[in-house]
Every structure is written in structure tokens, then in C-alpha cells.
Amino acid sequence: MGSSTLHIDLGALAQNWRVLDAKSAANVETAAVVKADGYGTGAGKAARALARAGAKTFFVAAAEEGIDVRNAVGPSPRVCVFSGHMAGDTDMIADMQLIPMLNSLDQITRHFELLPKHPFGVQLDTGMNRLGLEANEWDAVRDLVMAANPVLIMSHLACADEPDHPMNAQQLAEFHKMTDGLDVPRALSATGGILLGPDYHFDLTRPGIGLYGGLPFEDAAPVVRVECPVIQIRDVPAGETVGYGNTWTAEVPSRVATVSAGYADGITRQISNKSVLFDGDTPCPLIGRVSMDLITVDVTHLDQTPRSLDLLCAHQTVDDLAEIGGTIGYEILTSLGRRYNRRYRT
């Protein structure tokens, strides 16, 4: 069975970074988030393309992810770790010159004891209640931490993709309260925060999903295309069914293409009988259930027999597919599996 192909446009990725960099306020550094294997695009290749575009700071979720990024971009760029300094990560942080964003009193103690001269940042909780020091904890250790010269203090917005949500202003005010007057670079905004405007930009922004073509960055250029090869075409008489569970019945004599892709490739079963694939500009309904390795598509209306059909493309973005499947573009991108042939275009 031929695998589907994930086409990745590194030029579009770099262009999205440039546009978001231009939207960041003057004298603000624009970093790049390349966690989750570069949102499914390949962290090493994504990081190299972004470094060529001008990114000098990268963020990953865990120290293990930092290895590929460090190997890809070389020794100069900063590679920061959102999860901080976890137990067992000390050698990796030191050897790969990673910068942990310390999230707790335990992490601060661990880092100061084991890597006392190694660069670090601090993450504060401004209301999301996920990662970071709460206000009372920060008050207790702020002077000690500041004496060790952190390279960055950051927090994370919970509702930045909803510009009018009151949580945005609430977190902004809390971040000011916790950090104003400190002589250290500050960062609050990912993609959504950049689009909220310069009040949220501080000294560094860190776009993620917008780099890869996802909302809330509506002007993003598409970065990924999923091309699914057609394995077989069959004629299905009226009244017969297709796929597991008999969920689709041919109302008229139909031509059905079976393509190589399925939920083992990160394509959710929730789009069964709802989505379309594309032959060029022509939509072709997905019929029946998405199975582990296969999808069936109605191509009765096509004049020719397609060799492949596109699931993700300019006509159907990751967010379009996510809406159909009741999820978000992040999940669509980061679920794309290892079976894809990945082809890169610069």
C-alpha cells in the first residue's frame, strides 16, 4: 500500500514568520515555537527554515524535543523548554545548551543546585492555572531569582484567540503587576497575543500555530498539503453500502475510490461521511467511515480517474477539517502520523 504524502512548504512557513514578525511591535524579538515535532512538519527542518528567516529563539515543550532543534540550528540560537527543568533532564539541558523555563519552587531549587550558572527563564501563572509560579510563590522567591539573572520571564494567555474575552485584559494586568520594574525581558504572547496588539507584546513574542497556517492567524499561508494515493476504483450498484457499519448507501450507481489514509495517520473518524477530498479544485465527498488505513471517496462526478486526492489543501485547511471533526487545527496538525512520505518545498 502506498503511503499518503505530506507536502510541507517551508517557504510559506518562513513567510508566515516574517508576517507575524512584522505585526510584532518595534524592538520586539519574534521567536518561534517548534514543539510537537514542529506541529507535525518536522522540528529540525522547520527550525532551520525559521532560523534562515531570522528567528533566533525557539521554544519546545520538553527537553527531549530540544535535541533535534539544537542539532538543526547549531549552537547560537536559544532553545527554550516550556516544561522547565524536570528531574532527569539535567545532563540533557547542560549538554544541549537548553534554557528551561522554571515553573515551580521545586524546579528553581533543582536548577540552582544542579546547574547554578546555566541560563534559565521563569514562567509565571497569571490566571490560566496550568504552568508557572503563582503570585505568592513569586513574591517569596523573586529577589533570589532576579539575583541569578534570568534571561526571560514569561506567562501564557488562556483566551487570546477570543480578542474580546475579558480574561485577556485580566492576565495582562496581572503580568504587569508581577513583573513591572524588573530588569529582565518579558514575554506573554503566542500567535493570538500578537494579534491582540502591541500592549501584549512586551520584549518577545512566540508564535506557534500561526506559523503553520492555523487560526487565529487568518492571513496565514497554507503550509501543509495531504495527498492521498488512490489504491482502487470500483463501481458500486445502487443500494449497496460502503465501509464499516454500512453507514453510506449508494442511491445511484456510483464510482468509489479507496485511498491510502486513515485514523492511524491522524485522520479522525469524526469526519466520516462529512468531509470532502479534492481532485484539483473539485470536491469529492468522503463516504463511509474512516478506517485505520483507508478512506472511501465518491468520484462518480469526475471525468477522469484520479491518481490521488487531497485531504488538506488550499481549499480545505487544517481549521476547516477541524471544524468538521469537532476539534481544533492544532490537533489535526500534530496528529499527522509517521507513515506519511514527507516532501519539503522551499
Side-chain angles (χ1 to χ4, degrees), residues 46-93:
R48 273 195 295 271
L50 291 162
R52 286 193 295 268
K56 296 179 174 62
T57 299
F58 298 87
F59 286 86
V60 296
E64 290 84 357
E65 294 183 330
I67 296 173
D68 286 345
V69 177
R70 173 60 72 210
N71 288 335
V73 300
S76 297
R78 299 190 298 181
V79 180
C80 303
V81 182
F82 284 133
S83 63
H85 190 152
M86 300 288 288
D89 286 352
T90 303
D91 289 344
M92 199 182 316
I93 289 169

Side-chain angles (χ1 to χ4, degrees), residues 3-333:
S3 298
S4 291
T5 299
L6 181 60
H7 298 269
I8 299 163
D9 188 340
L10 296 176
L13 174 69
Q15 179 60 21
N16 288 337
W17 183 88
R18 293 187 191 98
V19 174
L20 288 167
D21 180 45
K23 289 181 180 294
S24 296
N27 301 317
V28 173
E29 179 186 354
T30 304
V33 179
V34 290
K35 62 183 180 178
D37 196 28
Y39 287 64
T41 66
K45 288 184 171 60
R48 273 195 295 271
L50 291 162
R52 286 193 295 268
K56 296 179 174 62
T57 299
F58 298 87
F59 286 86
V60 296
E64 290 84 357
E65 294 183 330
I67 296 173
D68 286 345
V69 177
R70 173 60 72 210
N71 288 335
V73 300
S76 297
R78 299 190 298 181
V79 180
C80 303
V81 182
F82 284 133
S83 63
H85 190 152
M86 300 288 288
D89 286 352
T90 303
D91 289 344
M92 199 182 316
I93 289 169
D95 294 345
M96 305 308 294
Q97 287 298 296
L98 308 178
I99 302 176
M101 299 289 110
L102 306 180
N103 294 293
S104 66
L105 301 180
D106 285 346
Q107 287 199 357
I108 290 170
T109 300
R110 180 180 299 120
H111 190 77
F112 284 15
E113 288 181 352
L114 299 179
L115 294 175
K117 298 188 181 301
H118 189 91
F120 70 95
V122 177
Q123 185 159 190
L124 304 178
D125 175 28
T126 53
M128 193 173 186
N129 286 309
R130 198 175 62 166
L131 284 178
L133 297 163
E134 296 184 7
N136 62 327
E137 294 174 318
W138 179 233
D139 287 343
V141 299
R142 181 178 53 231
D143 292 345
L144 174 68
V145 169
M146 291 304 299
N149 296 315
V151 301
L152 185 71
I153 293 179
M154 62 166 285
S155 189
H156 194 67
L157 295 167
C159 302
D161 56 345
E162 302 176 56
D164 297 326
H165 199 292
M167 186 67 167
N168 295 320
Q170 179 182 324
Q171 286 192 265
L172 177 63
E174 182 66 12
F175 193 56
H176 275 294
K177 182 179 177 181
M178 295 175 78
T179 63
D180 278 357
L182 300 179
D183 185 20
V184 59
R186 295 180 288 177
L188 181 62
S189 291
T191 301
I194 293 173
L195 302 176
L196 290 176
D199 287 348
Y200 290 81
H201 295 175
F202 291 89
D203 302 292
L204 179 144
T205 60
R206 45 179 204 278
I209 189 65
L211 301 177
Y212 305 94
L215 294 175
F217 183 26
E218 295 181 355
D219 297 329
V223 172
V224 298
R225 177 168 70 91
V226 171
E227 179 187 11
C228 307
V230 173
I231 302 172
Q232 184 176 356
I233 299 279
R234 71 170 63 244
D235 294 317
V236 177
E240 291 200 4
T241 61
V242 172
Y244 287 119
N246 294 2
T247 62
W248 185 87
T249 302
E251 296 180 356
V252 297
S254 303
R255 299 190 77 213
V256 175
T258 301
V259 304
S260 177
Y263 57 76
D265 303 293
I267 299 169
T268 174
R269 291 176 77 246
Q270 300 304 313
I271 68 170
S272 300
N273 292 299
K274 297 178 184 177
S275 186
V276 298
L277 284 78
F278 282 85
D279 177 43
D281 298 326
T282 304
C284 303
L286 189 161
I287 59 175
R289 287 185 182 164
V290 174
S291 58
M292 183 180 291
D293 311 301
L294 301 170
I295 292 173
T296 41
V297 183
D298 186 353
V299 295
T300 309
H301 56 300
L302 297 183
D303 295 330
Q304 77 289 337
T305 299
R307 295 182 60 185
S308 64
L309 296 167
D310 289 343
L311 180 63
L312 289 176
C313 58
H315 300 299
Q316 184 163 262
T317 68
V318 292
D319 292 289
D320 294 330
L321 200 62
E323 184 174 358
I324 295 167
T327 182
I328 57 176
Y330 295 78
E331 185 173 2
I332 297 294
L333 274 176

